[in-house]
Amino acid sequence: MEEMEKVKADATEAGEELRRKGWSAVEQQRSSMASSISRIAGSLHRVADQFNSDGESTAAEYTHLVGRGLDKFSDRIREKDAGQLYRDVQDYARENPVIFMAGVIAVGFVATRFLRSSGPRAEYPPEPPESLH
């Protein structure tokens, strides 16, 4: 019985250590993430200005709206700690599950596109294995 209690205590301690390290990593990346989101918002504002120049006022309005939302989000990331941000995301997901899921899908799509475009390029056509020469 004592061995089970010790294993349980060790597992709990290991889990707590992982959680602390995870939150620490999130805290370290917060500023970088906020800056990236702020740059995206700036790009959206420039696109909206171009829409205005082209006479597309409705598209400009919505693009500025999204840009302002990202500006506010980047400010919140800078101001709050990781735990507060996590609770905010949970609350938003509970209150707006459809919008939250659509956002998760959109972020996943954008992240996948980014990772594919920034990764090493595969050689086309691929070289055949040496055994086929």
Side-chain angles (χ1 to χ4, degrees):
M1 225 20 152
E2 282 181 33
E3 292 242 354
M4 286 299 280
E5 292 298 319
K6 181 168 175 18
V7 168
K8 187 176 178 181
D10 287 347
T12 301
E13 185 178 324
E16 286 298 317
E17 179 66 20
L18 281 174
R19 184 170 33 187
R20 280 191 300 274
K21 286 182 179 180
W23 283 120
S24 175
V26 168
E27 285 294 328
Q28 291 172 358
Q29 295 298 317
R30 218 168 32 126
S31 177
S32 175
M33 185 170 51
S35 295
S36 295
I37 292 169
S38 188
R39 282 193 303 275
I40 292 168
S43 295
L44 286 172
H45 290 302
R46 286 189 294 281
V47 168
D49 292 341
Q50 185 61 49
F51 281 147
N52 264 333
S53 296
D54 295 343
E56 298 288 337
S57 61
T58 303
E61 182 181 333
Y62 285 115
T63 306
H64 272 306
L65 182 68
V66 173
R68 283 190 299 272
L70 288 176
D71 285 331
K72 288 179 185 176
F73 183 58
S74 70
D75 289 343
R76 275 190 236 127
I77 289 172
R78 284 184 181 95
E79 295 166 359
K80 294 183 176 188
D81 69 24
Q84 291 170 316
L85 291 171
Y86 181 71
R87 286 186 294 280
D88 287 352
V89 169
Q90 282 183 321
D91 292 344
Y92 186 82
R94 277 190 211 102
E95 294 167 8
N96 305 289
V98 174
I99 294 171
F100 180 78
M101 287 307 297
V104 167
I105 291 167
V107 166
F109 177 74
V110 169
T112 300
R113 300 275 302 187
F114 174 75
L115 291 173
R116 283 186 180 171
S117 70
S118 64
R121 299 281 181 209
E123 193 176 303
Y124 289 100
E127 289 289 319
E130 289 296 318
S131 62
L132 296 178
H133 284 277

